[in-house]
Amino acid sequence: MSAARVAAITGKRSGPALSAQDLAKRFGDRVAFQDVSFEIGYGEVFGFLGPNGAGKTTTVRTLGTLIAPTSGSATVAGLPLTPENGVAIRQRISIMPEAPGLYLRLTVRENLECFAGLYALPDAHQRIDRALQAVNLAGRANDPCGKLSKGLRQRVSLARALLNDADVLFLDEPTSGLDPVAAREVHDLIDGLRRQGVTIFLTTHRLEEAERLCDRVALLNTTLRAIGRPAELRDQLFAKTLAVSTVVPLPDPGVVFGSLPAVKSWQQTVAGDYILTVTDTTVAAPVVTRALVAAGADVLSIAVSQHTLEDVYLELIDEDVEAGTKAGTK
Amino acid sequence: MSTHATHVQALYRKELRDYRHNGYILGTMATIPLGILVFPLILVLALPASAASTFQAGDPLVILLGIPALVPSILAGYAVVGEREQGTLEPVLTTPIRREELVLAKALAALVPSLTVAYVVYALFLTITRLFAQPAVASAVLQVPDVLVQVIFTPLIALLSIWVCIAISTRSNDVRVAMQLGAVTGLPVLLVVYLITFSVIPATLGLAVGIGAALLILDGIGWRLVSSLFNRERLITSTR
């Protein structure tokens, strides 16, 4: 995508690139997802996280007009999500499904030519060349897709999704089943798209992937459990803590930590290791260091405890599991 | 019903490329017609000149009308459910192609090779008859009106077979079931063909016009009917 196009998209378009309001999909009695509400701005990379069966793919299919929502409303690339707008929406978006779904007997270029035709792109050859270059596959254009590795097929699938310079790009589990090297290649490609200002809706259950690539994330487990920047979610769910380690256990840690206003509480994990809940780590760390030195402690380390997105994810999913267990035992 | 020619063309070209990359598809398509060709050829070549007058109008050619009924059934039966099983249908459905366009592209992709095979077999029959049959028999068989009827009825029968098979393919969840049912749909046409051949149904101009008109109407509504059966959501989500 050219810089001019990025500017055109981000500058001229008003309103969100994607929004959902109480969106829900049920298959008979089974709820695929419900109460899903969010707004995504143009140029944003939005991570949609959740365990298997959480409703991520169904949400993408719903927003991509492949299936109709049971209730709620949404706008996709500036258009209301209605059956009448299906063709217009699909013209403005691109979906990379979890399985590449390539025609294996056809070459890479033939696959892309087919989809360039399906988008009725006027300058198909240039776009195909650009897409192939973007995914580093220009040299494999004439190879049959059936002879490509899984990672390369995923790249072809991504090139296919790039053909129409979509306003919103849906990537459904783009690294599913890939080895770490191939996954990293796909990450680099997505990162490149992010830098170019492409609006991306990324579904994944790889948390490090979301943490690395996404501006904001939403956590879905049939219902939307949390939404925000990864750092915000960490702060919402976890207290700010310092991990203190001394060579010899403190004779009276309560005297050292208890008198400090910046420390809200403390606990000893193993001999010589302490976890301090603090109001602000940047204020508390120097104060704690000085207090330890004044108490004559041999300090090994003082570190800010780093909670990952995985911690957030597990915390929320565990809550759901516990709630489900309690409901089941009642 | 508005259609975008580029969408239809893109999918149609993809299908033809797929056939080209897998020569067995067209090769095996020619097997059934060659089998059907045997009976009328024996009929024509074994007949003495004195028996030429016993021919009903276009009898051997009528038998060959079974070809357009049977040949497209495999391709058309595979058209939707086959792509679905391969996992290639969903990416196509994410593009702006309308269901009417998708169905039309699939139908054309089954029709063109089927017509090619059928007409090549007819040409083979006509050539062999001209070269090796008794001249009187050849003259009785190769009547211009009969050949013309053959040329006109072939696409009409093939298209009807294609619509029925794509309808089955659209509603089926198993490619094997779809292809087997698709092959069965050609049997009513074969039955009519044989009833005409064995003079149970007299071959008259009126009958030809009547059947031709019926086929035209059925082919016309076939596109709309099959398109209405094409349900994106069911095709994406249903596993049964």
Side-chain angles (χ1 to χ4, degrees):
Chain A
M1 184 181 283
S2 66
R5 176 166 167 73
V6 174
I9 287 173
T10 53
K12 284 182 188 172
R13 296 214 186 268
S14 57
L18 204 56
S19 73
Q21 189 64 46
D22 299 325
L23 203 63
K25 178 66 186 176
R26 291 181 192 83
F27 296 105
D29 294 337
R30 189 175 69 81
V31 176
F33 65 84
Q34 63 185 4
D35 302 329
V36 170
S37 302
F38 57 77
E39 275 197 5
I40 302 171
Y42 282 100
E44 186 175 357
V45 178
F46 189 80
F48 208 53
L49 315 180
N52 292 330
K56 303 186 298 292
T57 297
T58 307
T59 306
V60 169
R61 287 171 168 171
T62 304
L63 294 170
T65 77
L66 293 178
I67 59 180
T70 309
S71 60
S73 61
T75 62
V76 182
L79 295 170
L81 183 67
T82 60
E84 298 75 35
N85 284 336
V87 171
I89 288 174
R90 292 198 297 275
Q91 188 72 48
R92 292 184 183 188
I93 65 169
S94 205
I95 300 177
M96 178 185 172
E98 182 176 352
L102 302 171
Y103 297 107
L104 299 181
R105 277 189 288 269
L106 268 56
T107 66
V108 172
R109 181 174 290 280
E110 285 171 340
N111 266 277
L112 297 186
E113 280 174 356
C114 173
F115 280 81
L118 292 174
Y119 283 105
L121 301 174
D123 49 350
H125 284 290
Q126 290 94 316
R127 283 174 185 259
I128 290 169
D129 289 341
R130 273 209 309 268
L132 286 173
Q133 279 167 7
V135 300
N136 301 319
L137 273 180
R140 307 293 297 269
N142 296 315
D143 287 4
C145 286
K147 292 193 173 172
L148 300 180
S149 67
K150 197 168 183 181
L152 291 182
R153 288 182 194 178
Q154 207 74 347
R155 282 207 246 166
V156 178
S157 177
L158 186 55
R160 185 179 62 194
L162 297 177
L163 280 175
N164 65 329
D165 280 351
D167 289 357
V168 181
L169 180 57
F170 291 89
L171 305 177
D172 191 6
E173 307 276 4
T175 56
S176 173
L178 297 187
D179 64 50
V181 175
R184 193 176 61 188
E185 286 175 358
V186 173
H187 286 167
D188 291 343
L189 293 169
I190 296 170
D191 206 25
L193 294 171
R194 193 169 77 91
R195 285 196 300 271
Q196 291 173 46
V198 178
T199 308
I200 297 174
F201 188 94
L202 173 74
T203 77
T204 183
H205 55 247
R206 290 194 173 192
L207 302 164
E208 78 289 354
E209 186 171 277
E211 183 129 41
R212 176 184 161 185
L213 298 170
C214 299
D215 300 313
R216 282 192 306 147
V217 295
L219 213 154
L220 182 77
N221 197 11
T222 307
T223 56
L224 211 55
R225 298 288 287 108
I227 185 166
R229 295 183 182 280
E232 288 171 359
L233 295 182
R234 282 194 294 264
D235 290 348
Q236 281 171 22
L237 262 97
F238 297 104
K240 296 179 176 104
T241 54
L242 289 177
V244 173
S245 186
T246 56
V247 176
V248 179
L250 297 171
D252 193 352
V255 172
V256 180
F257 302 132
S259 60
L260 303 174
V263 177
K264 287 159 70 177
S265 63
W266 65 273
Q267 67 176 86
Q268 182 167 315
T269 49
V270 292
D273 286 353
Y274 308 89
I275 296 292
L276 280 55
T277 303
V278 299
T279 49
D280 185 336
T281 52
T282 53
V283 171
V287 172
V288 170
T289 308
R290 282 195 291 271
L292 286 166
V293 171
D298 295 327
V299 180
L300 268 178
S301 65
I302 297 178
V304 177
S305 296
Q306 296 290 332
H307 288 286
T308 63
L309 191 56
E310 185 173 356
D311 297 325
V312 173
Y313 178 93
L314 293 174
E315 181 77 11
L316 289 170
I317 298 302
D318 283 350
E319 280 178 16
D320 286 352
V321 171
E322 281 173 23
T325 309
K326 280 179 188 168
T329 54
K330 274 183 185 173
Chain B
M1 191 188 296
S2 67
T3 54
H4 201 306
T6 315
H7 296 163
V8 178
Q9 196 181 17
L11 204 54
Y12 169 74
R13 279 187 65 192
K14 184 280 291 178
E15 296 284 339
L16 293 194
R17 279 175 163 168
D18 206 22
Y19 302 156
R20 205 181 65 215
H21 285 294
N22 186 358
Y24 286 115
I25 294 176
L26 294 181
T28 49
M29 270 181 83
T31 311
I32 294 173
L34 289 173
I36 293 175
L37 180 65
V38 173
F39 176 60
L41 265 185
I42 292 172
L43 195 71
V44 168
L45 296 179
L47 213 62
S50 58
S53 59
T54 62
F55 263 132
Q56 288 274 340
D59 276 353
L61 287 171
V62 171
I63 295 173
L64 295 180
L65 282 177
I67 293 172
L70 290 176
V71 168
S73 63
I74 303 296
L75 290 182
Y78 180 86
V80 178
V81 68
E83 283 232 24
R84 189 178 160 200
E85 283 196 1
Q86 272 195 332
T88 51
L89 186 63
E90 183 168 351
V92 171
L93 296 182
T94 66
T95 70
I97 193 167
R98 294 170 198 271
R99 58 185 182 176
E100 295 85 2
E101 295 163 346
L102 191 146
V103 164
L104 182 61
K106 291 287 184 183
L108 288 175
L111 180 66
V112 171
S114 300
L115 290 185
T116 306
V117 167
Y119 287 138
V120 165
V121 171
Y122 297 163
L124 200 63
F125 174 78
L126 297 178
T127 307
I128 292 172
T129 302
R130 171 66 69 196
L131 291 176
F132 301 108
Q134 295 292 335
V137 173
S139 298
V141 172
L142 306 178
Q143 296 289 319
V144 172
D146 295 340
V147 175
L148 201 63
V149 165
Q150 194 80 9
V151 170
I152 292 169
F153 268 66
T154 296
L156 295 177
I157 293 172
L159 202 52
L160 180 63
S161 174
I162 286 168
W163 289 135
V164 174
C165 291
I166 293 183
I168 292 168
S169 187
T170 300
R171 304 302 292 183
S172 175
N173 288 317
D174 190 309
V175 70
R176 293 162 296 187
V177 173
M179 289 167 86
Q180 284 171 30
L181 283 176
V184 171
T185 60
L187 295 182
V189 176
L190 275 184
L191 180 68
V192 173
V193 160
Y194 277 92
L195 289 176
I196 293 172
T197 305
F198 293 105
S199 303
V200 178
I201 300 174
T204 62
L205 180 65
L207 180 71
V209 171
I211 293 177
L215 285 172
L216 259 178
I217 293 167
L218 289 173
D219 284 340
I221 60 174
W223 183 21
R224 288 174 184 274
L225 197 66
V226 175
S227 297
S228 69
L229 293 174
F230 192 95
N231 183 322
R232 276 173 202 266
E233 180 163 336
R234 198 194 70 81
L235 286 166
I236 292 291
T237 58
S238 173
T239 52
R240 285 183 301 139

